[in-house]
Amino acid sequence: MFPSIQEQMDLIKRGASEIIPEEDLVKKLERSIKTNTPLRVKLGCDPSRPDLHLGHSVVLRKLRQFQDLGHQAILIIGDFTGMIGDPSGRNKTRPSLTLEETREFGQSYFEQATKILSSDRVRMQYNSEWLGAMSFADVIKLASKYTVARMLERDDFTLRYKAGEPISMHEFLYPLAQGMDSVAIKSDIELGGSDQKFNLLVGRDLQREYGQEPQVILTTPLLVGTDGVEKMSKSYDNYIGINEPATEIYGKTLRIPDNLIYEYFELASDVPNAELAGIKKQLEDSSVNPRDVKRRLARTFVTMYHSAAAAREAEAQFGKIFIDKEIPENIEEYVIPNCAGETSLVGLMMVTKLASSKSEARRLIEQGGVSVDGERVGDLNAPVPTAKQFILKVGKRRFLKVFHA
RNA sequence: GGGCAGGUAGCGAAGUGGUUAAACGCAUCAGACUGUAAAUCUGACGGCAUACGCCUUCGGAGGUUCGAAUCCUUCCCUGCCCA
């Protein structure tokens, strides 16, 4: 019922950055075949940022492959850590969540994840189930199993330590908590981004400490964000969300730097391996305008997360807006309340959030970034147009259809 | 507990009593050129005001001064060294 080892390994190794240790994976697969038992493949999820993007999709797609091979996917929602909140590291303002919020986000995460995962052979568990049940004595015992020196091996800690940046005590506990998740569910394999390597390895040690066979870890490369510099992340605002509207996914994809095209195909798309080589060639020998390859990438993403029809539509609309400079079909609408309300265009821009302040609105007008029905606005004091309805455009791609009540 | 060094706008980083709303770099935004790419160029980048200008900001609070990010007091936070 399971494919052969070779077949499985071929699929598993594709796009993986590290498998540690590979021999153990082979052994686990052999046993799985022999005993006809699926492997338990774990993926930990952070519920504090409930919007999944292409960066998350890389590892989720890897998990999907395990499902396709007949194995069991287990999503661990880190609600326990989410409730504590993590004020350290880069995310100084990460809020602590209430139990309700973590449940809500967990559910939302699950729904989004199943856009990529198959809905059978997947299980979701909240780690508060076992972490919340631990006493302080349990925690101390757990902490005694690891040393400070070993913790400081983690790259992130080393760097911060050397740079004289603060590291809070509880940060040392996070890898341990994550490792306990592996113990709790007796995972055979844990997946994660390559930045998770240390935490995943801790899971191996803890499983051993608790008398279990250590999990194999598999890391996937981190997807670079649309800015071409930082890893894709919501906090850098360089992401393409899988729940975003088709036109957004399409537009954002076309805005990525050219040198990211191949990587996105390789890591985030379902284009078969066989075609990847061809794409690489096209990009290298410039036989094709990179723009066209990028268009294909954009269509691929929209097809994956919406539909082929949506992809065609998004492409058509994109052409209309940016090549023919037309106005998109579906744009947000705003109705001006007929009583008082704003009488200046600047004020209107502010209430409709097209500008965050009047000064910014004025700046935008001054710099020629604002137009009404295609006519550039040159007057800082321009009143709200009297036309019953008009199109307000700010910058290259923010449109608003405004009506008078 | 003691000593030292720090906390400046989204980030990094100047500024140590008076054109300092605060240099510079990055990021961001707008415009030009493009393929809504890259590179480049121009401009903006606390708020209010058409504008003269006004108001709020340099960890928090209080004080000295005609005037403070800059001096004093106190509190909070971070790092390093010693215990």
Side-chain angles (χ1 to χ4, degrees):
Chain A
M1 100 168 241
F2 289 100
S4 74
I5 302 268
Q6 193 54 51
E7 231 173 297
Q8 295 200 51
M9 286 302 282
D10 280 349
L11 188 58
I12 291 169
K13 284 168 83 169
R14 181 195 299 174
S17 87
E18 284 190 282
I19 298 175
I20 304 174
E22 206 174 310
E23 333 53 280
D24 284 11
L25 177 57
V26 174
K27 272 183 218 154
K28 281 176 188 277
L29 289 172
E30 274 168 1
R31 192 176 56 217
S32 148
I33 292 173
K34 204 173 292 171
T35 59
N36 198 25
T37 316
L39 295 176
R40 301 144 82 83
V41 188
K42 172 193 169 197
L43 177 67
C45 318
D46 171 12
S48 65
R49 303 213 169 254
D51 292 310
L52 297 200
H53 51 63
L54 293 183
H56 300 109
S57 81
V58 177
V59 75
L60 281 166
R61 285 164 39 71
K62 181 53 68 184
L63 186 56
R64 169 64 194 254
Q65 289 164 2
F66 275 98
Q67 287 185 308
D68 292 343
L69 292 172
H71 301 293
Q72 171 71 45
I74 304 176
L75 287 176
I76 304 291
I77 306 291
D79 67 331
F80 190 73
T81 41
M83 277 190 284
I84 296 167
D86 184 1
S88 51
R90 213 176 292 135
N91 269 321
K92 291 201 172 61
T93 53
R94 181 182 286 184
S96 40
L97 307 172
T98 63
L99 183 68
E100 289 73 40
E101 283 170 327
T102 60
R103 289 299 136 109
E104 197 182 305
F105 288 169
Q107 195 53 45
S108 155
Y109 195 106
F110 187 77
E111 276 159 26
Q112 294 172 65
T114 45
K115 276 190 157 189
I116 295 168
L117 300 176
S118 100
S119 48
D120 44 306
R121 284 202 284 270
V122 59
R123 207 171 81 205
M124 176 173 79
Q125 288 193 264
Y126 292 96
N127 67 1
S128 57
E129 194 185 307
W130 48 87
L131 295 181
M134 289 175 79
S135 70
F136 193 53
D138 293 331
V139 175
I140 291 175
K141 197 172 158 196
L142 171 64
S144 74
K145 297 190 187 302
Y146 239 76
T147 65
V148 171
R150 295 208 61 191
M151 277 297 165
L152 283 173
E153 282 171 14
R154 193 169 100 172
D155 196 40
D156 163 51
F157 287 149
T158 313
L159 292 175
R160 281 162 60 194
Y161 192 66
K162 281 191 184 145
E165 281 166 26
I167 300 173
S168 303
M169 292 294 293
H170 73 293
E171 292 188 70
F172 281 171
L173 295 175
Y174 276 52
L176 297 176
Q178 196 174 329
M180 281 311 287
D181 294 346
S182 295
V183 172
I185 64 158
K186 300 186 174 68
S187 54
D188 290 301
I189 302 170
E190 178 163 9
L191 310 186
S194 53
D195 57 343
Q196 287 292 309
K197 181 173 166 184
F198 179 88
N199 293 349
L200 304 183
L201 286 169
V202 171
R204 280 174 61 78
D205 292 330
L206 290 185
Q207 283 177 311
R208 210 179 280 128
E209 289 283 348
Y210 284 83
Q212 295 179 15
E213 179 183 292
Q215 63 186 2
V216 168
I217 72 160
L218 184 155
T219 58
T220 54
L222 297 181
L223 194 70
V224 176
T226 54
D227 57 2
V229 182
E230 301 287 353
K231 72 168 183 180
M232 186 174 284
S233 145
K234 205 179 177 193
S235 41
Y236 291 131
D237 196 20
N238 62 358
Y239 66 98
I240 299 175
I242 66 172
N243 253 1
E244 294 195 79
T247 47
E248 277 296 301
I249 293 181
Y250 190 91
K252 282 187 176 186
T253 305
L254 275 200
R255 244 175 284 142
I256 66 170
D258 286 1
N259 58 357
L260 250 42
I261 299 175
Y262 180 77
E263 201 177 318
Y264 274 38
F265 265 117
E266 185 189 28
L267 298 177
S269 87
D270 50 15
V271 165
N273 263 12
E275 289 179 40
L276 283 180
I279 289 169
K280 190 167 206 165
K281 198 158 177 295
Q282 286 183 332
L283 288 167
E284 274 167 5
D285 64 16
S286 59
S287 57
V288 179
N289 186 336
R291 180 197 56 194
D292 296 324
V293 185
K294 206 189 276 182
R295 280 180 175 164
R296 176 177 170 192
L297 180 66
R299 284 196 305 273
T300 305
F301 287 147
V302 177
T303 306
M304 284 168 71
Y305 298 110
H306 291 276
S307 65
R312 279 191 299 274
E313 241 171 71
E315 185 156 280
Q317 181 160 331
F318 184 88
K320 268 194 207 160
I321 300 169
F322 296 106
I323 297 167
D324 307 332
K325 307 277 186 218
E326 283 180 22
I327 287 157
E329 282 157 33
N330 303 312
I331 54 181
E332 256 187 78
E333 299 180 355
Y334 177 77
V335 179
I336 301 175
N338 58 5
C339 36
E342 284 297 338
T343 50
S344 69
L345 193 61
V346 162
L348 178 69
M349 284 168 67
M350 198 173 86
V351 295
T352 55
K353 305 226 164 64
L354 287 170
S356 59
S357 68
K358 288 190 178 182
S359 296
E360 188 185 305
R362 244 178 240 121
R363 232 175 272 143
L364 287 163
I365 292 175
E366 248 167 16
Q367 301 188 124
V370 179
S371 68
V372 168
D373 284 331
E375 290 283 318
R376 186 176 279 190
V377 178
D379 180 7
L380 289 180
N381 301 313
V384 169
T386 48
K388 218 169 172 53
Q389 94 171 54
F390 58 93
I391 304 285
L392 185 57
K393 182 182 176 191
V394 175
K396 286 192 181 86
R397 57 199 153 85
R398 283 145 75 205
F399 294 88
L400 188 71
K401 189 183 275 184
V402 185
F403 297 92
H404 283 281

